Amino acid sequence: MLLTKPDINFFAGWHYLFNHNFRNRTNKAWRKQPTWLVVVQMISGACSVLFPGIILALLGYVLLVNHVM
């Protein structure tokens, strides 16, 4: 069985968080997709939110430590 290449939007995490219509469309689409594909999309969405947050937190920490010293 051949599968088509999944269409993964790596910035969908932010879009999913802030856009109600996108969230509803995505949830409906997930019902029709295989579980493994939904898991991959959830992980990529979570990473698209967490990675910039971690970078901003580290940058803030470095700036704060440099300002205090």
Side-chain angles (χ1 to χ4, degrees):
M1 175 168 85
L2 296 176
L3 297 174
T4 59
K5 180 183 173 195
D7 183 27
I8 298 175
N9 179 357
F10 292 105
F11 299 103
W14 292 105
H15 203 184
Y16 188 87
L17 285 176
F18 295 117
N19 190 325
H20 180 68
N21 293 328
F22 179 79
R23 189 169 39 250
N24 287 338
R25 285 192 314 267
T26 302
N27 289 337
K28 286 179 185 177
W30 280 347
R31 291 185 193 114
K32 301 173 189 172
Q33 295 177 348
T35 304
W36 68 270
L37 183 57
V38 174
V39 170
V40 168
Q41 290 178 349
M42 286 180 166
I43 291 171
S44 66
C47 289
S48 75
V49 173
L50 291 175
F51 183 71
I54 291 169
I55 297 298
L56 288 175
L58 289 172
L59 182 62
Y61 175 76
V62 168
L63 291 175
L64 183 63
V65 167
N66 286 339
H67 181 69
V68 172
M69 295 182 137

